Amino acid sequence: MSDLKNGVISKSSLLSLDELVSAVEGELLSGGGSFGFSSVQTDSRKVTEGSLFVPLIGEVQDGHSYIPKAVENGACVVFVSKKDESVESYINKYPNVTFVLVQNTLRALQDAARKYVSLFPNLIKVAVTGSSGKTTTKEILASILRQKYRVVTNAGNLNSETGLPLSVFNIRPEHTLGLFEMGMNRENEIGEIASVLRPNYGVVTNIGTAHIGILGSRENIAKEKKKIFSYVDEKGVCVIPKNDDFADFLASGVRGKVIFYGTDEDERIQFISDDFLLGTRFCVCGTEMRLSLPGKYNFLNALGAIELSLELGLTPEQIKAGVEGLSALNGRSEIIQKNGVTVLKDCYNANPDSMEKALELSASVSSDGKKVLVLGDMLELGEKSHEAHEKAGELAVSAGPDLVIFVGTEMKAGYEKALRVNHGKTKIEYIEGNSDETMNCVCKSVRCFLGAGEGNFLLLKGSRGMGLERVVEQL
């Protein structure tokens, strides 16, 4: 059983039976043997001994069908929904498993996570959101804040209605600061997960057009992103990009201290030089340092992280150690140099804003060899998709490459636009789909074009669902 002492819980269970059932407003159906769970999972394949399994109901699959597999892998506590007709069979078949009946399994996951977070009243809680750059900003912040605090954060981009609640269950008594990224792909998703964490510090990277096909407008996106400030009180801090169109809207009505960040917003932070693919050099309170991530947009992400770090008491020396100790971010502005080619691998996510920034960076690259751009579909743009991909095609040509390969379905619009505006020597190709065969064709085109030359540059940019990282693996 869990033992709450001095605001922390014992190692035996993340929540006691009473705490869990009360938090989710559930009904205990069965519970043979002793109660206790040490982890929480929604994927039966990730369940280990002592897990709480939460079967989610989606449009295609019902997670209840995976309860047998979850129990086989070690689940000892399971939520079941009132919608499921097999409750009695589960109880009879697995008498040693604790089953808790809930109205909605997703909501129960969030409610249980909210209760768990409340057991750590002294934890500093930081949330990061934005249309693009939020994972990068979170990773920069984590690297800096670890110089002073014992930090727990969400792995990768586990930032959704399920990812955030699962992530907070990794909080332990030794942690002094929780840093969590928050994303959305539907209305009020950030509102829901903000209510789980209740952050007292928040950072917004920008208000762009990611998921505009779902939210409908940048105004609606701004309203959703602003919800991470809902629980910031007078002692907390809201960090906002000064040059964003919605900066004033984001700052209006918040209770915490507002800090605007940008290239000229804080005299303590002085820009030195843009070293292109080698990153950016700058000073914080006279201490010089270099961010290895390339691009002005990554420097801007770093500025938001640094402003919050200064508020949280980090010294310039600690900030330098964090900035320069930043590990490579897989698939996000990742530089790979091999066999005469410098690859900018930026294919973990893509939207019109990040696509424009990646192409702007590519345009600034001075290459002794050939410059090749491989651009994949930007997903979830709805009715804005055709226009956004056309703009990407135009920007791609203006970046001055020797070859542009448009990949996917939506990128056909970019390809056709590029053909219309191409008045230079840029070679333009289109390869449909995102299958393994598609990536084989991309690799073949890149290899044939680059040959055995040196000093070549290759950009890979597209949404995660396109899987453009397969091109790097094959090359």
Side-chain angles (χ1 to χ4, degrees), residues 172-183:
R172 294 294 181 267
E174 64 267 22
H175 294 127
T176 56
L177 186 146
L179 169 61
F180 296 95
E181 173 186 340
M182 294 185 178

PDB file of all heavy atoms in Angstrom, residues 172-183:
ATOM      1  N   ARG A 172       9.167  11.184  -8.997  1.00  0.00           N
ATOM      2  CA  ARG A 172       9.553  10.447  -7.802  1.00  0.00           C
ATOM      3  C   ARG A 172       9.952  11.442  -6.701  1.00  0.00           C
ATOM      4  O   ARG A 172      10.222  12.615  -6.984  1.00  0.00           O
ATOM      5  CB  ARG A 172      10.714   9.493  -8.107  1.00  0.00           C
ATOM      6  CG  ARG A 172      10.360   8.358  -9.081  1.00  0.00           C
ATOM      7  CD  ARG A 172       9.338   7.410  -8.475  1.00  0.00           C
ATOM      8  NE  ARG A 172       9.002   6.305  -9.378  1.00  0.00           N
ATOM      9  CZ  ARG A 172       7.987   6.325 -10.234  1.00  0.00           C
ATOM     10  NH1 ARG A 172       7.199   7.394 -10.312  1.00  0.00           N
ATOM     11  NH2 ARG A 172       7.738   5.283 -11.009  1.00  0.00           N
ATOM     12  N   PRO A 173      10.010  10.988  -5.452  1.00  0.00           N
ATOM     13  CA  PRO A 173      10.310  11.906  -4.348  1.00  0.00           C
ATOM     14  C   PRO A 173      11.615  12.680  -4.504  1.00  0.00           C
ATOM     15  O   PRO A 173      11.728  13.805  -3.997  1.00  0.00           O
ATOM     16  CB  PRO A 173      10.373  10.972  -3.134  1.00  0.00           C
ATOM     17  CG  PRO A 173       9.461   9.844  -3.487  1.00  0.00           C
ATOM     18  CD  PRO A 173       9.653   9.643  -4.960  1.00  0.00           C
ATOM     19  N   GLU A 174      12.589  12.113  -5.206  1.00  0.00           N
ATOM     20  CA  GLU A 174      13.877  12.799  -5.326  1.00  0.00           C
ATOM     21  C   GLU A 174      13.846  13.966  -6.308  1.00  0.00           C
ATOM     22  O   GLU A 174      14.758  14.793  -6.337  1.00  0.00           O
ATOM     23  CB  GLU A 174      14.973  11.819  -5.748  1.00  0.00           C
ATOM     24  CG  GLU A 174      14.793  11.190  -7.124  1.00  0.00           C
ATOM     25  CD  GLU A 174      14.058   9.861  -7.068  1.00  0.00           C
ATOM     26  OE1 GLU A 174      13.340   9.624  -6.063  1.00  0.00           O
ATOM     27  OE2 GLU A 174      14.198   9.068  -8.018  1.00  0.00           O
ATOM     28  N   HIS A 175      12.815  14.054  -7.141  1.00  0.00           N
ATOM     29  CA  HIS A 175      12.762  15.120  -8.135  1.00  0.00           C
ATOM     30  C   HIS A 175      12.361  16.446  -7.497  1.00  0.00           C
ATOM     31  O   HIS A 175      11.476  16.495  -6.637  1.00  0.00           O
ATOM     32  CB  HIS A 175      11.778  14.763  -9.245  1.00  0.00           C
ATOM     33  CG  HIS A 175      12.202  13.596 -10.079  1.00  0.00           C
ATOM     34  ND1 HIS A 175      11.406  12.491 -10.316  1.00  0.00           N
ATOM     35  CD2 HIS A 175      13.382  13.347 -10.705  1.00  0.00           C
ATOM     36  CE1 HIS A 175      12.058  11.628 -11.060  1.00  0.00           C
ATOM     37  NE2 HIS A 175      13.264  12.123 -11.305  1.00  0.00           N
ATOM     38  N   THR A 176      13.008  17.499  -7.956  1.00  0.00           N
ATOM     39  CA  THR A 176      12.686  18.842  -7.452  1.00  0.00           C
ATOM     40  C   THR A 176      12.005  19.707  -8.506  1.00  0.00           C
ATOM     41  O   THR A 176      11.436  20.745  -8.180  1.00  0.00           O
ATOM     42  CB  THR A 176      13.959  19.562  -6.959  1.00  0.00           C
ATOM     43  OG1 THR A 176      14.928  19.610  -8.029  1.00  0.00           O
ATOM     44  CG2 THR A 176      14.567  18.833  -5.766  1.00  0.00           C
ATOM     45  N   LEU A 177      12.055  19.283  -9.767  1.00  0.00           N
ATOM     46  CA  LEU A 177      11.435  20.067 -10.847  1.00  0.00           C
ATOM     47  C   LEU A 177      10.891  19.125 -11.909  1.00  0.00           C
ATOM     48  O   LEU A 177      11.578  18.209 -12.364  1.00  0.00           O
ATOM     49  CB  LEU A 177      12.452  21.035 -11.465  1.00  0.00           C
ATOM     50  CG  LEU A 177      11.929  22.032 -12.500  1.00  0.00           C
ATOM     51  CD1 LEU A 177      12.692  23.358 -12.417  1.00  0.00           C
ATOM     52  CD2 LEU A 177      12.031  21.484 -13.933  1.00  0.00           C
ATOM     53  N   GLY A 178       9.649  19.361 -12.287  1.00  0.00           N
ATOM     54  CA  GLY A 178       9.023  18.605 -13.372  1.00  0.00           C
ATOM     55  C   GLY A 178       8.863  19.482 -14.586  1.00  0.00           C
ATOM     56  O   GLY A 178       8.262  20.563 -14.511  1.00  0.00           O
ATOM     57  N   LEU A 179       9.414  19.055 -15.710  1.00  0.00           N
ATOM     58  CA  LEU A 179       9.391  19.819 -16.950  1.00  0.00           C
ATOM     59  C   LEU A 179       8.650  19.000 -18.003  1.00  0.00           C
ATOM     60  O   LEU A 179       9.126  17.937 -18.411  1.00  0.00           O
ATOM     61  CB  LEU A 179      10.827  20.115 -17.406  1.00  0.00           C
ATOM     62  CG  LEU A 179      11.033  20.673 -18.812  1.00  0.00           C
ATOM     63  CD1 LEU A 179      10.332  22.019 -18.972  1.00  0.00           C
ATOM     64  CD2 LEU A 179      12.520  20.782 -19.118  1.00  0.00           C
ATOM     65  N   PHE A 180       7.502  19.495 -18.445  1.00  0.00           N
ATOM     66  CA  PHE A 180       6.668  18.692 -19.334  1.00  0.00           C
ATOM     67  C   PHE A 180       6.183  19.501 -20.538  1.00  0.00           C
ATOM     68  O   PHE A 180       5.689  20.616 -20.403  1.00  0.00           O
ATOM     69  CB  PHE A 180       5.468  18.133 -18.578  1.00  0.00           C
ATOM     70  CG  PHE A 180       5.864  17.174 -17.493  1.00  0.00           C
ATOM     71  CD1 PHE A 180       6.019  17.619 -16.187  1.00  0.00           C
ATOM     72  CD2 PHE A 180       6.117  15.846 -17.777  1.00  0.00           C
ATOM     73  CE1 PHE A 180       6.400  16.745 -15.173  1.00  0.00           C
ATOM     74  CE2 PHE A 180       6.501  14.962 -16.779  1.00  0.00           C
ATOM     75  CZ  PHE A 180       6.644  15.407 -15.476  1.00  0.00           C
ATOM     76  N   GLU A 181       6.352  18.904 -21.693  1.00  0.00           N
ATOM     77  CA  GLU A 181       5.869  19.469 -22.948  1.00  0.00           C
ATOM     78  C   GLU A 181       4.387  19.146 -23.101  1.00  0.00           C
ATOM     79  O   GLU A 181       3.939  18.073 -22.719  1.00  0.00           O
ATOM     80  CB  GLU A 181       6.678  18.855 -24.077  1.00  0.00           C
ATOM     81  CG  GLU A 181       6.222  19.177 -25.482  1.00  0.00           C
ATOM     82  CD  GLU A 181       7.007  18.392 -26.511  1.00  0.00           C
ATOM     83  OE1 GLU A 181       8.109  17.906 -26.195  1.00  0.00           O
ATOM     84  OE2 GLU A 181       6.503  18.257 -27.642  1.00  0.00           O
ATOM     85  N   MET A 182       3.633  20.094 -23.670  1.00  0.00           N
ATOM     86  CA  MET A 182       2.207  19.890 -23.897  1.00  0.00           C
ATOM     87  C   MET A 182       1.865  20.177 -25.351  1.00  0.00           C
ATOM     88  O   MET A 182       2.160  21.252 -25.865  1.00  0.00           O
ATOM     89  CB  MET A 182       1.379  20.802 -22.986  1.00  0.00           C
ATOM     90  CG  MET A 182       1.511  20.474 -21.503  1.00  0.00           C
ATOM     91  SD  MET A 182       0.416  21.484 -20.490  1.00  0.00           S
ATOM     92  CE  MET A 182       0.786  20.810 -18.861  1.00  0.00           C
ATOM     93  N   GLY A 183       1.252  19.199 -25.998  1.00  0.00           N
ATOM     94  CA  GLY A 183       0.828  19.362 -27.384  1.00  0.00           C
ATOM     95  C   GLY A 183      -0.678  19.195 -27.493  1.00  0.00           C
ATOM     96  O   GLY A 183      -1.371  18.915 -26.524  1.00  0.00           O
TER      97      GLY A 183
END
